[in-house]
């Protein structure tokens, strides 16, 4: 008599992780979920390189004298920190990992519209990353991540062209990802998935993709012009040859301010999903939140010159851009108000993703409010190029974007890996990140307001700034521990974590209607959506009245 040996559901079910084996099955895959994991490994690598540069910067500023590195080395440290973190971590972080993994599943599609282009975008990212690593190892760049002319075009002998080409190549990766998302969202939604039923995560990525498609070519052209200026002395940015260095700033910031929203909009989409799930409520004002994402994308292209209030633009231009900079805060404020209204009288669950969402709300709000300070012409002139600006954009781009990224990783990790992480450690990590972040960057608001310039490696003529700098460096150490912890327990959970159910959070959304981890083509049968987005009152209804929507 044959005895059937029961197997665990994780072991017997074929999924995207075990469908094929071998290195080539990963390097040549067109499965959007596997490509998302390739991106995850790549951006984590660059995140720790950028973090290492940040730690060296903070160690240098521990004492007023420049006693750790020389001035030119310090210039290269903050330049390479900015370039790596912005172009190789923050911009691709959520779209290329969580976006790649979830966009097709959330709209009921088998894959993205162009699977091979999706793989090509990862290879372009890797090529750009290798070029940037080579640039770092053979001398680096010292202009700051902004490449300001005429210093970058005439006066420095560092690896400007090579770094520019690395960003140029990585930019095409960003463009292709945006193109894939736009076409997929337009053309591949399953039956019943109308625009008004789309998860707000999808709306956020749709708005982000528009910025990627329209903005990234501008910075690509700008970098080509810098290379041409260095090689051929065309006089585009050189005043001696009839050029205009302020023109470079216009071109650069026309992309690089919208790039801030490439970093923050996907994070807003993540936070919306988490808040709805862990407060067990529909999102308050769904249509307002959806259209505020589009409004942020549109307004983002109209405010670039607030980076140039001290660059010599006319007072009239400065007034117009000051007003527009205040206006761009409105759609962000709508989101914060609607998230808060969703939480009101909700059944709040304090799981790790929700702790990151609360952290996001606090840090993003501080970052947004200090942005209003910088929109005011009088205050802007006082604090431009001080640590006030450094603190402001870190509250937005790190406090906002990275908190959202980590919240999303915790929320969807059971779906990605099929395993549960240790909840206690995850809550501790969220707390450490929040405390470490504020300890690092809040003192920098005070430093900036007191007048400490950014990018100075020696402040021995201002020793009164040391106490706040020591506090900031101590905070960076705490923050580093907070960032290392999730990597450790995520890797641990891949082998030792408990198997996750298909929907461990009892969350709404099509991605939770398929297996954990999902099969290669996401769904065994094409789903049909017959319910509205965020139908938590139906999911939580008593069993005798509950009508659970099933993907047919």
């Amino acid at each position: 008599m044959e005895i059937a040996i029961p197997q665990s559901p994780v072991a017997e079910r074929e999924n995207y992780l075990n469908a094929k084996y071998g290195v080539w099955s990963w390097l040549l895959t067109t499965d959007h979920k596997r490509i998302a994991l390739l991106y995850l490994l790549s951006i984590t690598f660059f995140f720790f390189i950028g973090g290492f540069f940040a730690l060296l910067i903070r160690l240098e500023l521990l004492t007023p004298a420049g006693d750790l590195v020389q001035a030119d080395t310090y210039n290269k440290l903050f330049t390479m920190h900015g370039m790596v973190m912005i172009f190789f971590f923050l911009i691709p972080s959520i779209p290329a990992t969580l976006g790649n993994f979830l966009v097709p599943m959330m709209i009921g599609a088998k894959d993205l519209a162009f699977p091979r282009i999706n793989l090509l975008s990862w290879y372009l990212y890797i090529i750009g990353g290798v070029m940037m690593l080579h640039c770092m190892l053979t001398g680096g760049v010292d202009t700051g991540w902004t490449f300001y002319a005429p210093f970058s075009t005439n006066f420095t002998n560092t690896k400007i062209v090579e770094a520019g080409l690395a960003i140029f190549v990585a930019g095409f990766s960003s463009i292709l990802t945006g193109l894939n998302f736009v076409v997929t969202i337009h053309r591949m939604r399953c039956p019943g998935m109308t625009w008004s039923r789309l998860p707000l995560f999808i709306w956020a990525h749709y708005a982000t993709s528009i910025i990627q498609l329209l903005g990234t070519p501008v910075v690509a052209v700008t970098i080509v012009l810098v290379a041409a200026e260095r090689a051929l002395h065309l006089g585009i940015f050189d005043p001696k040859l009839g050029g205009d260095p302020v023109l470079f700033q216009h071109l650069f910031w026309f992309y690089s301010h919208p790039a801030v929203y490439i970093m923050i909009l996907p994070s807003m989409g993540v936070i919306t999903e988490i808040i709805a799930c862990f407060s067990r409520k529909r999102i308050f004002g769904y249509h307002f939140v959806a259209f505020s994402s589009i409004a942020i994308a549109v307004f983002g292209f109209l405010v670039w010159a607030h980076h140039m209030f001290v660059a010599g633009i006319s007072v009239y231009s400065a007034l117009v851009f000051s007003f527009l900079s205040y206006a761009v805060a409105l759609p962000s404020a709508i989101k914060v108000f609607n998230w808060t209204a969703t939480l009101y009288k909700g059944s709040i669950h304090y799981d790790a993703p929700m702790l990151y969402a609360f952290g996001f709300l606090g840090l993003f709000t501080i970052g947004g409010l200090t942005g209003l300070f910088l929109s005011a012409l009088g205050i802007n002139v006082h604090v431009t190029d001080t640590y006030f600006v450094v603190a402001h954009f870190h509250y937005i781009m790190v406090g906002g974007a990275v908190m959202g990224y980590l919240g999303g990783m915790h929320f969807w990790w059971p779906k990605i890996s099929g395993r549960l992480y240790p909840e206690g450690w995850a809550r501790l990590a969220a707390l450490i990140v929040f405390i470490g972040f504020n300890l690092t960057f809040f003192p920098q608001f005070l430093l900036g307001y007191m007048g400490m310039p950014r990018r100075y490696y020696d402040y021995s003529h201002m020793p009164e700034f040391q106490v706040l700098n020591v506090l900031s460096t101590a905070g960076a150490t705490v923050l580093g521990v907070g960032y290392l912890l999730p990597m450790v327990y995520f890797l641990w959970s891949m082998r030792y974590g408990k198997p996750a159910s298909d929907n461990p959070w009892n969350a709404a959304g099509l991605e939770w209607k398929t297996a954990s981890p999902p099969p290669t083509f996401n769904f065994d049968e094409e789903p049909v959506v017959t319910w509205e987005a965020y139908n938590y009152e139906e999911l939580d209804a008593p069993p005798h009245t509950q009508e659970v929507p099933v993907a047919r």
Side-chain angles (χ1 to χ4, degrees):
M1 187 174 80
E2 247 182 302
I3 299 174
I5 300 172
Q7 291 182 313
S8 74
V10 174
E12 68 187 9
R13 188 194 302 134
E14 183 178 288
N15 58 63
Y16 79 100
L17 290 169
N18 63 20
K20 294 178 182 175
Y21 289 99
V23 173
W24 290 111
S25 74
W26 284 86
L27 294 180
L28 299 177
T29 185
T30 54
D31 183 346
H32 66 99
K33 299 179 290 299
R34 285 192 164 204
I35 293 169
L37 291 193
L38 292 175
Y39 265 117
L40 177 62
L41 292 172
S42 312
I43 68 164
T44 302
F45 171 74
F46 283 105
F47 176 72
F48 282 105
I49 288 179
F52 175 69
F53 288 140
L55 198 59
L56 290 177
I57 292 167
R58 289 311 324 161
L59 288 173
E60 171 58 75
L61 295 174
L62 200 56
T63 56
D67 46 14
L68 179 67
V69 296
Q70 297 298 314
D72 56 346
T73 306
Y74 185 78
N75 290 346
K76 290 174 182 176
L77 283 177
F78 68 70
T79 300
M80 303 314 291
H81 165 69
M83 285 182 182
V84 168
M85 282 303 208
I86 288 168
F87 296 109
F88 294 93
F89 174 70
L90 284 167
I91 286 175
S93 60
I94 295 179
T97 54
L98 295 173
N100 244 330
F101 194 94
L102 294 164
V103 165
M105 283 198 285
M106 282 187 162
I107 63 172
K110 290 183 175 181
D111 207 317
L112 287 169
F114 307 115
R116 288 183 178 85
I117 289 180
N118 194 22
L119 181 62
L120 173 63
S121 73
W122 178 71
Y123 275 107
L124 288 172
Y125 173 85
I126 292 297
I127 292 168
V130 169
M131 291 169 70
M132 183 59 76
L133 286 173
H134 182 263
C135 169
M136 286 187 275
L137 294 171
T138 56
V141 184
D142 63 354
T143 59
W145 74 275
T146 50
F147 288 108
Y148 271 10
F151 183 54
S152 63
T153 52
N154 289 24
F155 297 106
T156 182
N157 293 317
T158 51
K159 303 277 184 175
I160 296 291
V161 174
E162 188 173 346
L165 287 174
I167 292 166
F168 183 82
V169 172
F172 275 95
S173 167
S174 183
I175 292 169
L176 293 178
T177 300
L179 171 72
N180 232 334
F181 285 174
V182 167
V183 176
T184 304
I185 293 165
H186 268 278
R187 304 295 300 166
M188 298 183 67
R189 303 191 309 277
C190 68
M193 181 59 81
T194 61
W195 285 95
S196 61
R197 287 176 174 171
L198 282 177
L200 290 161
F201 181 88
I202 300 293
W203 276 104
H205 276 75
Y206 184 73
T208 304
S209 301
I210 292 169
I211 302 173
Q212 288 174 306
L213 284 171
L214 298 180
T216 312
V218 178
V219 80
V221 169
T222 308
I223 289 167
V224 169
L225 291 177
V226 168
E229 178 88 332
R230 284 180 69 87
L232 305 172
H233 306 290
L234 299 177
I236 303 164
F237 306 124
D238 187 351
K240 287 186 298 187
L241 301 174
D244 182 2
V246 177
L247 173 62
F248 172 85
Q249 294 190 35
H250 279 290
L251 291 171
F252 180 83
W253 287 115
F254 184 78
Y255 163 76
S256 294
H257 191 82
V260 173
Y261 302 115
I262 294 178
M263 302 170 211
I264 200 71
L265 268 171
S267 200
M268 290 171 161
V270 169
I271 296 306
T272 305
E273 301 296 319
I274 292 172
I275 285 177
C277 177
F278 291 99
S279 60
R280 312 307 299 168
K281 283 177 68 181
R282 284 184 191 271
I283 284 292
F284 180 87
Y286 170 94
H287 291 94
F288 280 93
V289 179
F291 287 112
S292 67
S293 294
I294 305 299
I296 287 172
V298 173
F299 272 111
F301 283 104
L302 304 176
V303 297
W304 75 89
H306 69 214
H307 294 270
M308 302 163 60
F309 285 161
V310 296
I313 63 174
S314 72
V315 176
Y316 176 76
S317 297
L319 283 170
V320 170
F321 280 101
S322 174
F323 173 77
L324 288 169
S325 299
Y326 278 110
V328 78
L330 293 175
S332 298
I334 287 170
K335 285 184 183 291
V336 173
F337 170 79
N338 285 31
W339 290 327
T340 309
T342 305
L343 290 168
Y344 180 63
K345 291 190 176 179
S347 176
I348 311 294
H349 296 255
Y350 294 98
D351 294 286
M354 191 59 159
L355 296 184
Y356 280 108
F358 280 132
F360 173 95
L361 282 173
L363 301 181
F364 176 74
T365 302
I366 292 172
L369 290 173
T370 51
L372 299 179
F373 286 50
L374 294 168
S375 302
L377 292 173
I379 299 177
N380 184 286
V381 171
H382 174 67
V383 298
T384 288
D385 280 335
T386 69
Y387 267 88
F388 191 94
V389 176
V390 175
H392 158 69
F393 72 69
H394 279 87
Y395 264 84
I396 295 287
M397 287 152 56
V398 184
V402 177
M403 284 299 242
Y405 171 70
L406 288 173
M409 284 300 298
H410 285 79
F411 186 50
W412 284 290
W413 185 254
K415 185 60 61 178
I416 293 169
S417 66
R419 300 280 177 175
L420 298 175
Y421 52 80
E423 180 65 28
W425 282 103
R427 292 181 186 183
L428 177 65
L431 191 64
I432 291 173
V433 167
F434 184 78
I435 293 170
F437 180 86
N438 282 294
L439 199 56
T440 305
F441 293 106
F442 198 83
Q444 294 179 16
F445 280 127
L446 305 178
L447 284 167
Y449 190 75
M450 289 161 63
M452 182 172 175
R454 65 196 286 197
R455 299 179 174 178
Y456 276 37
Y457 87 115
D458 181 330
Y459 57 98
S460 50
H461 58 299
M462 320 175 254
E464 66 273 18
F465 294 150
Q466 185 176 9
V467 172
L468 289 169
N469 272 302
V470 169
L471 201 60
S472 191
T473 300
T477 312
V478 176
L479 187 61
V481 172
Y483 285 152
L484 276 169
L485 267 177
M487 190 178 76
V488 172
Y489 60 69
F490 279 156
L491 289 172
W492 177 89
S493 73
M494 289 289 286
R495 183 167 186 119
Y496 302 107
K498 295 177 182 175
S501 64
D502 293 347
N503 190 356
W505 310 117
N506 194 24
L510 279 181
E511 76 273 25
W512 302 106
K513 310 287 182 199
T514 186
S516 296
T520 301
F521 294 109
N522 300 338
F523 301 96
D524 295 326
E525 296 178 16
E526 184 180 45
V528 177
V529 176
T530 57
W531 59 92
E532 299 303 311
Y534 308 108
N535 57 329
Y536 283 102
E537 69 280 0
E538 294 174 26
L539 292 177
D540 295 341
H544 61 279
T545 61
Q546 190 174 15
E547 293 182 17
V548 180
V550 178
R552 293 198 296 271

